[in-house]
Amino acid sequence: MQNQDTYYYGILPDVHFRFSSAEISYAVTAASNLHDFDDTGTELLARTMLSAFFLADLVKEETKLSVQIRFYDDSEIHSVLAYSTRNGRMKATLRHRPEEDVESGQISEENLGILKVFRWKDGECIYQSIVPFRNLSFEENIENYLRDSEQIPSFLIAYVKLEGLHWKVKGILLQALPEAKQEHIDAVREWAGAVEAKKNQIFDQNVSNALEELKGIWNTKLEILEEGRPEYRCDCSEEKIKELILNLGKEEAMDIAEEQGQIEVTCEFCNSIYRFPKDRVLELF
């Protein structure tokens, strides 16, 4: 599969909206293959990764954003988690619930679980929002989060499709700028609905051509301000694992090392394995 992942940031000046549009097909396929996720899990992962990337456009470049959904106990999927920076450095994982732990009667007609959006800087959480993940489409949940938590009228269209062994994952997020009036918001809502109805046709091509087609459909100016290439890249390191061990404290760390002969940590995002024998654990303290 050739890596054609790309993103574009820009504005629709006639209606005072900004947009983010991206393809992350290669990144999603890489993550799915790495963890051997099934089709249902990969589709959920794809929408979460796409949303994390779009929401990361709201933060400064030196920060990153995470989107996590924790499902109630009668779901076979326990949770899904994706990180992204504004320039598309992404990592993601999905956890299945052991079959014996699946309970009945947890999911209500209204809510399926909890949606968590965090912003991070230098390893510290600097913002968090926790809202219900409702029994609506994934896109509607993200739109509701932006409307209720960020007070930003927004419209998200996601295109997720499996073709053979590879995934096609593309989409666009439209967000009102402060100058947008209600008439502009109403117009873009109508545009978004038209795109949703034709998204299989529009996003079956590359994102650049899709944007050109959208410009014609909407009969409006579309200015691209920035473009780049998303990438699935884990940022784990031995130094971060050392810090994790130090946070355990000497007594607990040495207890684990004595019992197991070492401390072994497997990164949940890239499957890298870090091993610290007892003598190395002791040296950390």
Side-chain angles (χ1 to χ4, degrees):
M1 178 183 184
Q2 185 178 359
N3 186 356
Q4 295 184 340
D5 287 359
T6 188
Y7 68 79
Y8 297 92
Y9 294 133
I11 60 172
L12 304 172
D14 293 341
V15 290
H16 305 292
F17 262 70
R18 64 194 305 227
F19 71 85
S20 310
S21 189
E23 175 174 3
I24 58 169
S25 304
Y26 193 88
V28 169
T29 300
S32 179
N33 291 342
L34 178 65
H35 297 288
D36 195 25
F37 292 141
D38 60 19
D39 292 350
T40 299
T42 301
E43 182 172 350
L44 174 62
L45 188 81
R47 296 182 189 279
T48 308
M49 290 174 66
L50 194 63
S51 298
F53 170 72
F54 285 148
L55 295 182
D57 185 29
L58 297 175
V59 304
K60 296 181 179 179
E61 292 188 10
E62 65 270 18
T63 64
K64 62 183 176 181
L65 182 139
S66 65
V67 173
Q68 181 181 28
I69 304 166
R70 164 69 161 81
F71 293 97
Y72 291 145
D73 293 346
D74 50 356
S75 169
E76 294 181 2
I77 295 177
H78 174 278
S79 58
V80 60
L81 172 64
Y83 285 83
S84 183
T85 61
R86 187 181 179 279
N87 60 355
R89 299 296 176 261
M90 290 180 284
K91 62 181 183 180
T93 191
L94 179 144
R95 301 170 188 166
H96 284 87
R97 196 184 311 278
E99 186 175 343
E100 61 271 18
D101 291 341
V102 177
E103 301 179 4
S104 61
Q106 295 293 314
I107 295 178
S108 67
E109 292 184 2
E110 184 178 2
N111 300 327
L112 302 178
I114 301 296
L115 169 65
K116 302 178 180 181
V117 179
F118 291 175
R119 295 175 189 162
W120 306 85
K121 183 176 182 180
D122 299 327
E124 300 290 333
C125 179
I126 60 173
Y127 165 90
Q128 64 177 4
S129 179
I130 301 175
V131 298
F133 188 79
R134 302 193 183 280
N135 194 4
L136 303 168
S137 71
F138 196 105
E139 292 83 350
E140 287 175 301
N141 272 284
I142 298 300
E143 291 173 355
N144 289 343
Y145 157 75
L146 286 167
R147 182 196 65 214
D148 297 338
S149 297
E150 303 287 344
Q151 286 78 54
I152 304 176
S154 305
F155 306 98
L156 172 62
I157 300 99
Y159 171 72
V160 181
K161 181 181 180 181
L162 176 62
E163 287 194 351
L165 299 177
H166 305 298
W167 288 83
K168 282 189 174 182
V169 184
K170 307 171 189 179
I172 187 168
L173 178 67
L174 303 160
Q175 299 174 298
L177 293 169
E179 299 84 2
K181 298 179 180 179
Q182 188 60 49
E183 63 192 75
H184 300 132
I185 296 171
D186 292 341
V188 175
R189 179 181 290 107
E190 185 176 335
W191 295 356
V195 175
E196 180 66 35
K198 299 178 62 177
K199 66 181 180 181
N200 290 345
Q201 171 189 328
I202 294 170
F203 287 109
D204 196 46
Q205 55 194 323
N206 65 48
V207 175
S208 177
N209 290 341
L211 290 175
E212 283 298 314
E213 183 169 345
L214 290 178
K215 184 167 64 173
I217 293 173
W218 296 339
N219 190 27
T220 189
K221 294 179 182 177
L222 187 153
E223 298 179 7
I224 294 174
L225 304 178
E226 181 184 337
E227 61 183 277
R229 290 198 170 276
E231 180 182 356
Y232 189 86
R233 180 196 295 178
C234 185
D235 56 356
C236 70
S237 67
E238 186 172 280
E239 290 304 312
K240 289 185 177 181
I241 304 303
K242 288 180 180 178
E243 184 177 343
L244 178 65
I245 294 173
L246 287 171
N247 288 336
L248 291 174
K250 182 177 181 180
E251 183 177 353
E252 184 175 354
M254 290 309 300
D255 284 347
I256 296 172
E258 289 288 346
E259 180 181 345
Q260 303 180 3
Q262 64 178 356
I263 292 181
E264 180 177 298
V265 178
T266 301
C267 176
E268 63 179 333
F269 296 100
C270 68
N271 292 340
S272 295
I273 299 175
Y274 297 88
R275 296 184 177 92
F276 289 80
K278 287 189 296 182
D279 57 342
R280 287 198 64 197
V281 175
L282 185 60
E283 288 175 1
L284 295 178
F285 298 93

